[in-house]
Amino acid sequence: MKLTTPDIDGAAPRAAHRTELVGLTREELTEFAVANNMRPFRGQQLVEWIYRHGVNDFAAMTNIARVDRERFAEIATISTLSVKREERSTDGTRKFLFELADRKTVETVLIPEGERRTLCLSTQVGCAMGCRFCLTAQQGLERHLTAGEIVDQLLSVQRLTGERMTNAVFMGMGEPLHNFDAVVRAVQVLTDDRGIGLSARRVTVSTSGLVPKIHDLIHAQGVRFALAVSLNATTDTVRDEVMPINRRYPIRELVGALEAYSRERRDMGFVEYVLLGGVNDTVADAHRLANLLRRVRCKINLIPYNAVAGAAYEAPTGEAVEDFRQILLAEGYSVFTRKARGDDISAACGQLRQETGG
Ligand code: SF4
């Protein structure tokens, strides 16, 4: 691979002649140093400065000879994101609107909980999947993010907050597996022990149900992650309506892919289930869900829908949420009800971007 003018993801525009270093793996940063007539250990130094220390300025890389720092500054860039807006919730949730080099914007949400710092990453500008409960869907797909732009969300939030993230979830704007290569690369960079070093169990890729890509991810060599499937219905009729991707890959195939994940990766998967008032939150749904997942090792996250103005659905009642949870618990499942976080800010996916006019 030639790294002086990389074209890693293809789809996104980038600086004309300077290499974007964020998003390159440790091996690629070493190749980059060597390709520019430096010793291989310069690549490892870049890993440490950029990924471990979060430095965004070559001048601050004090153990690199000045001549090499100046050379890097001529031929490479580090972060390409800038914060356009930030909102803070009274519950500690922080939502960032980042502007990309081409002035398009994406959202990143930081959810603190005890010692845990979970960052919800975006993978695309907009989304093509058309889920009816989702604001991002209304924006359509504008483009994929590069691996660098995905990883950069985490590095930028760490710099802005002074806090180290403990968890990353690919649950922001976009369908991660629709941007497969960039997401795989980002996962590799996030979980590299000698770089950012997130535990693979704490990096969760969530999908709306691109079944063939789930199988590709399961079989991807050297990629460590946890898998979450956003199910949100227990019949194809309802899921076809709520999540149009179901018309191509119905529930049985999706649950089969999750089963393959837990079997082949020897790990528990996660099932995300957004409870939509009166649509998928009935007692019959809870029993059907329990039956559907009978053969799958998984934990279930229930997410009461956060209704916003103009939304297609309503929030479930507290009673419906509790009944649903109790049925699944009685069936022996691990069930968590996610607290609605950031209710007082634009917490729904895609909302902040929409409010600012993107
Ligand atoms: S929920 Fe996710 S996959 Fe579905 S439209 Fe929204 S961003 Fe895309």
Side-chain angles (χ1 to χ4, degrees):
M1 185 187 299
K2 188 169 184 288
L3 285 169
T4 46
T5 53
D7 181 14
I8 294 158
D9 311 292
R14 50 192 53 227
H17 56 281
R18 292 204 289 169
T19 299
E20 290 172 19
L21 299 186
V22 176
L24 297 188
T25 62
R26 176 159 31 102
E27 294 76 16
E28 288 167 347
L29 285 169
T30 301
E31 285 178 45
F32 172 74
V34 171
N36 285 284
N37 304 316
M38 296 179 205
R39 305 283 293 279
F41 70 85
R42 285 278 183 256
Q44 184 56 40
Q45 288 175 313
L46 288 174
V47 169
E48 282 163 15
W49 282 114
I50 296 171
Y51 292 143
R52 286 207 89 85
H53 303 305
V55 162
N56 193 27
D57 180 0
F58 293 109
M61 300 180 180
T62 46
N63 63 352
I64 296 181
R66 203 170 86 188
V67 61
D68 286 348
R69 280 186 261 156
E70 289 172 356
R71 176 85 181 120
F72 281 139
E74 281 168 21
I75 60 175
T77 60
I78 307 176
S79 180
T80 56
L81 304 188
S82 56
V83 192
K84 193 170 174 190
R85 185 166 155 188
E86 185 195 336
E87 290 185 359
R88 288 182 200 223
S89 165
T90 49
D91 67 12
T93 302
R94 295 172 71 172
K95 188 159 189 164
F96 303 89
L97 186 72
F98 284 115
E99 186 169 89
L100 311 169
D102 60 359
R103 311 204 64 184
K104 294 185 185 299
T105 53
V106 290
E107 297 172 5
T108 309
V109 180
L110 167 58
I111 304 161
E113 200 158 32
E115 297 293 300
R116 187 185 292 196
R117 296 287 175 275
T118 300
L119 200 64
C120 184
L121 299 167
S122 289
T123 55
Q124 296 176 311
V125 182
C127 184
M129 295 299 126
C131 303
R132 281 200 58 214
F133 55 83
C134 171
L135 277 173
T136 301
Q138 296 171 14
Q139 296 158 17
L141 175 64
E142 292 186 32
R143 72 166 171 88
H144 297 310
L145 298 191
T146 65
E149 289 167 334
I150 298 169
V151 173
D152 208 354
Q153 293 170 57
L154 180 131
L155 297 176
S156 296
V157 170
Q158 291 193 156
R159 260 195 303 278
L160 287 162
T161 61
E163 294 185 316
R164 192 164 280 278
M165 299 300 112
T166 59
N167 296 57
V169 292
F170 288 77
M171 294 182 188
M173 297 169 68
E175 161 53 57
L177 298 187
H178 189 206
N179 187 13
F180 188 85
D181 292 347
V183 166
V184 163
R185 173 182 287 274
V187 169
Q188 287 175 312
V189 172
L190 291 171
T191 56
D192 184 349
D193 296 341
R194 288 160 66 184
I196 293 172
L198 285 180
S199 156
R201 305 183 72 83
R202 295 175 168 206
V203 174
T204 305
V205 177
S206 175
T207 179
S208 61
L210 287 180
V211 170
K213 293 293 182 187
I214 297 175
H215 290 291
D216 288 349
L217 190 62
I218 292 170
H219 297 115
Q221 297 293 319
V223 187
R224 300 172 301 138
F225 61 95
L227 181 69
V229 160
S230 188
L231 192 58
N232 308 336
T234 59
T235 65
D236 283 322
T237 309
V238 172
R239 198 163 192 273
D240 281 355
E241 175 68 19
V242 174
M243 302 181 76
I245 187 66
N246 197 68
R247 296 173 200 162
R248 207 179 309 167
Y249 308 112
I251 289 176
R252 287 267 162 225
E253 289 183 30
L254 180 54
V255 171
L258 188 61
E259 193 183 337
Y261 166 80
S262 65
R263 186 179 61 244
E264 293 179 36
R265 289 272 177 164
R266 297 199 170 91
D267 199 5
M268 281 216 182
F270 294 91
V271 171
E272 308 285 316
Y273 196 98
V274 177
L275 289 158
L276 305 167
V279 174
N280 65 1
D281 64 344
T282 63
V283 166
D285 280 303
H287 286 297
R288 265 196 301 271
L289 184 59
N291 282 332
L292 270 173
L293 299 175
R294 192 76 65 202
R295 287 156 52 93
V296 186
R297 282 179 61 224
C298 64
K299 294 180 180 171
I300 302 172
N301 287 322
L302 299 178
I303 307 150
Y305 180 62
N306 197 4
V308 294
Y313 299 105
E314 291 179 4
T317 63
E319 194 184 351
V321 174
E322 189 51 23
D323 288 351
F324 206 96
R325 189 176 83 92
Q326 288 299 338
I327 290 167
L328 293 171
L329 284 174
E331 293 276 1
Y333 289 97
S334 296
V335 189
F336 301 89
T337 307
R338 284 222 216 118
K339 282 181 261 167
R341 297 294 303 257
D343 272 352
D344 54 334
I345 61 173
S346 316
C349 171
Q351 198 175 339
L352 179 60
R353 182 170 183 270
Q354 193 169 69
E355 282 174 2
T356 58

